[in-house]
Amino acid sequence: MLALKTTWTLSAAFITLALAACGGEKAAPAAASAASGASAVSVDAEKKEIKIGTTAGDFGDMVKESIKPILEKQGYQVTLTEFSDYVTPNQALAEGAIDVNVFQHKPYLDSFKAEHKLDLTEAFQVPTAPLGLYPGKATALDAVKAGSTVSAPNDPSNFARALVMLNELGWIKLKDGVDPLKASKADIAENPKNIKIVEMEAANLPRSRQDVDFAIVNGNYAISSGMKLTEALYQEPSYAYVNWGALRTADMKSKWAQDVINAYKSDEFKKYALDRFKGYKYPAEWNIPANGASGSSAAASAPAAASAASASK
């Protein structure tokens, strides 16, 4: 059974049934058309319930505070499921337990759906809190020393981002030509400061700060734990990791899916997001740079990024 946190109470039996579903809506009885003379060409009622899944925190808040009201004004019923990991949301989407998920960047989606043979498609970008290097026991970049400890997310995609960040800072050196989306410990060519990288579940990174010198924390977990983006000592400059909302490929052209996409692209959502999520990286089509990112000054003084990192932008 999939482990998830919902905004409503569900019995275990209902969850099991939901996960076994294929995402299709049952056909509604044909409307009586004799009086109007209409032809009953279609007996499928238009889909009016949309189930959105996100990780806990900012993406869920976007649904509750903006997207849900926008869609409800169009007559939809919107339910939100908040997941506590990066695996379940794609499985739940593929199995039909939810209709849309919002939690991942494209490199992760591409890798996950290829590995698990899932027919999912990225549909729209969402404002995303960037990955950042935050103070732990050390409070400044120049406090790094021989043997400093840095906690980092342990899933391959985000760990690769962490390595690229450490490379940009000059704390490690990656091998020439390494794929920045797939970098691993084996790709570290030099580690002059003997940096000790402590891998752990992304959700545990905020709490790790008391035990390590620095922590590389995913933006959503930083926000949900009460951290401020402006506390970051450095933020990744790449826009390759602005997150996407995903749908089943077969649903992409449906009316309800287009309404979801349009809600996330609407001026109403954009205005809300710019006010509510300052310091985030925004969808590329908005043409708005992240603001309030304290990492910008650090970026200017950090060593130039490796050519591999530049290729990921």
Side-chain angles (χ1 to χ4, degrees):
M1 183 178 297
L2 302 179
L4 48 83
K5 171 187 174 186
T6 60
T7 54
W8 69 98
T9 302
L10 293 171
S11 68
F14 182 82
I15 294 176
T16 302
L17 289 173
L19 296 181
C22 296
E25 296 296 313
K26 289 185 177 180
S33 58
S36 63
S39 173
V41 176
S42 174
V43 296
D44 286 340
E46 183 178 302
K47 181 179 176 69
K48 283 299 181 182
E49 180 183 2
I50 299 174
K51 295 168 284 186
I52 302 176
T54 71
T55 43
D58 48 5
F59 297 133
D61 291 341
M62 291 176 197
V63 173
K64 290 178 282 190
E65 297 170 4
S66 182
I67 297 302
K68 181 176 179 178
I70 290 173
L71 291 172
E72 285 182 340
K73 284 187 288 188
Q74 300 175 47
Y76 290 102
Q77 176 186 348
V78 179
T79 54
L80 171 66
T81 299
E82 293 182 303
F83 297 89
S84 60
D85 66 274
Y86 290 151
V87 174
T88 312
N90 280 332
Q91 294 173 334
L93 178 60
E95 294 169 3
I98 57 176
D99 301 307
V100 187
N101 71 35
V102 182
F103 78 101
Q104 64 196 322
H105 50 69
K106 190 173 183 297
Y108 180 81
L109 173 61
D110 289 344
S111 175
F112 192 96
K113 69 183 184 181
E115 179 182 354
H116 298 276
K117 297 179 173 58
L118 304 181
D119 194 10
L120 308 179
T121 298
E122 68 278 4
F124 53 86
Q125 285 189 310
V126 293
T128 305
L131 190 73
L133 180 107
Y134 290 85
K137 292 185 289 186
T139 59
L141 290 179
D142 59 11
V144 65
K145 59 186 179 181
S148 285
T149 52
V150 181
S151 59
N154 64 0
D155 61 284
S157 177
N158 285 309
F159 185 68
R161 296 168 69 188
L163 291 180
V164 170
M165 180 180 290
L166 294 176
N167 181 78
E168 290 167 340
L169 285 167
W171 294 5
I172 65 171
K173 178 175 173 53
L174 293 175
K175 295 176 181 176
D176 292 338
V178 65
D179 183 343
L181 304 181
K182 298 179 180 179
S184 69
K185 278 187 175 179
D187 295 310
I188 299 176
E190 297 177 21
N191 187 355
K193 295 183 181 297
N194 192 29
I195 300 293
K196 293 179 172 59
I197 305 172
V198 183
E199 301 174 60
M200 62 182 65
E201 291 290 334
N204 296 329
L205 290 165
R207 292 192 297 273
S208 76
R209 296 169 69 193
Q210 61 186 352
D211 301 315
V212 298
D213 296 307
F214 304 93
I216 296 177
V217 185
N218 297 75
N220 62 311
Y221 286 119
I223 294 295
S224 62
S225 67
M227 297 163 59
K228 296 180 180 178
L229 295 182
T230 51
E231 294 177 24
L233 302 175
Y234 184 79
Q235 290 180 345
E236 63 182 353
S238 174
Y239 275 73
Y241 301 101
V242 174
N243 285 13
W244 288 81
L247 294 95
R248 291 179 294 275
T249 303
D251 292 331
M252 283 289 291
K253 294 183 179 180
S254 65
K255 182 181 185 304
W256 67 265
Q258 290 300 308
D259 286 340
V260 170
I261 293 170
N262 290 335
Y264 275 97
K265 292 186 175 185
S266 67
D267 289 339
E268 182 177 348
F269 176 69
K270 180 177 178 180
K271 182 177 183 300
Y272 153 81
L274 290 174
D275 180 65
R276 176 74 163 76
F277 299 104
K278 291 181 171 63
Y280 276 47
K281 287 190 174 179
Y282 305 110
E285 64 183 28
W286 291 11
N287 294 316
I288 300 173
N291 51 67
S294 64
S296 58
S297 59
S301 60
S307 58
S310 300
S312 69
K313 297 181 182 179

